[in-house]
Amino acid sequence: MMRAPLAALVLALPAAALAQAPSTAQEFARLYVPADATVADAEAAFRKEATRALAGEPQFTAMEARYPQLREAVLNAGARVVRQQYASGLPTIHNRVAALVSKGLATAEQQEVIAFLRSGTGQAMQQAVRHSVDTGKLADAARANPKAQALTPAAVMGSMDVVGAMGALTPEQVQEVATFSTTPTGRKFQQLVPQLMAAITEETNRLVQDTAPKVQQAMLMAMRSQAAPARKE
């Protein structure tokens, strides 16, 4: 019964700066929030939702008919900003995760979790849960929330198909997840779920709200750049 909350934690995306945590906790944080996957997931989510948004804009569709390279240029411009923003936020992301885990788990317990996450099963679980996120649901939930289009922990959990993610694992891997979840360290780790999810959601909102206007500006500049040569001709 406790496997779903454990698996859900691999989606951590907090971004508040805290003092440097102990090295073991930092090792955990870098494994728990892998840089390449975090940036790639953010860019993929942006491209998917931006494409959906642009498709619903008649004015953009009309411009695209005149400037065939417009969509690619606009998406690439926005994606560059997303990559830069998330990459620059990773050190503080890692600090926040490390600080929370340092407070909740002893060093030896952190090492146990690290060993699990480094295992083939731990890696497979992280990948499966990341791929289970429905970014469309997340975007819709943000738009539906009148409070600055902010997500809630419930909305984040609701965007995940954790059952489907666990179904992507082999029976042996599912058993390994279950076994770890029932260890003293596994149970203690899961007790951090409410705190971690609250922090993750809060800091993700902060990161997205900081990134959004910069992305919009970059996309607007790309539109103007594409249209300018045609106007001169």
Side-chain angles (χ1 to χ4, degrees), residues 2 4-9 157 188-200:
M2 298 298 289
L6 173 63
L9 288 177
M157 288 297 296
K188 192 172 180 181
F189 183 44
Q190 291 175 85
Q191 290 173 0
L192 294 175
V193 170
Q195 297 175 53
L196 287 169
M197 287 303 295
I200 289 164

Side-chain angles (χ1 to χ4, degrees), residues 114-149:
I114 287 171
F116 172 73
L117 293 179
R118 285 195 183 281
S119 70
T121 294
Q123 292 290 302
M125 183 187 75
Q126 291 182 83
Q127 183 176 15
V129 174
R130 281 200 303 271
H131 289 171
S132 81
V133 176
D134 187 333
T135 57
K137 284 186 178 180
L138 279 177
D140 290 342
R143 284 190 289 267
N145 189 337
K147 189 176 181 180
Q149 294 193 344

Side-chain angles (χ1 to χ4, degrees), residues 4-216:
L6 173 63
L9 288 177
V10 303
L11 293 164
L13 280 177
L18 291 178
Q20 186 75 10
S23 59
T24 300
Q26 282 289 327
E27 180 184 0
F28 166 85
R30 289 191 294 271
L31 180 63
Y32 190 66
V33 189
D36 290 345
T38 299
V39 175
D41 288 350
E43 179 181 353
F46 160 75
R47 287 185 178 275
K48 178 180 177 180
E49 296 310 314
T51 297
R52 183 173 74 159
L54 292 174
E57 291 290 339
Q59 184 176 6
F60 181 84
T61 301
M63 290 183 64
E64 190 175 15
R66 297 179 60 190
Y67 314 118
Q69 304 302 317
L70 183 63
R71 183 184 299 267
E72 180 181 3
V74 168
L75 290 176
N76 286 344
R80 280 193 295 272
V81 175
V82 170
R83 290 196 302 269
Q84 292 166 358
Q85 287 287 107
Y86 275 79
S88 65
L90 278 171
T92 52
I93 288 172
H94 291 153
N95 285 345
R96 179 66 184 273
V97 172
L100 289 171
V101 172
S102 291
K103 184 177 180 180
L105 296 176
T107 300
E109 293 168 332
Q110 294 169 36
Q111 292 170 338
E112 287 185 55
V113 179
I114 287 171
F116 172 73
L117 293 179
R118 285 195 183 281
S119 70
T121 294
Q123 292 290 302
M125 183 187 75
Q126 291 182 83
Q127 183 176 15
V129 174
R130 281 200 303 271
H131 289 171
S132 81
V133 176
D134 187 333
T135 57
K137 284 186 178 180
L138 279 177
D140 290 342
R143 284 190 289 267
N145 189 337
K147 189 176 181 180
Q149 294 193 344
L151 291 170
T152 64
V156 174
M157 288 297 296
S159 73
M160 304 175 194
D161 180 11
V162 178
V163 173
M166 297 303 293
L169 303 181
T170 67
E172 293 76 16
Q173 289 172 332
V174 171
Q175 184 57 52
E176 288 180 26
V177 173
T179 298
F180 177 75
S181 299
T182 57
T183 64
T185 296
R187 289 195 297 268
K188 192 172 180 181
F189 183 44
Q190 291 175 85
Q191 290 173 0
L192 294 175
V193 170
Q195 297 175 53
L196 287 169
M197 287 303 295
I200 289 164
T201 304
E202 176 186 351
E203 300 303 338
T204 299
N205 286 333
R206 191 172 300 173
L207 178 59
V208 170
Q209 289 163 6
D210 180 60
T211 302
K214 298 174 183 177
V215 168
Q216 292 170 358

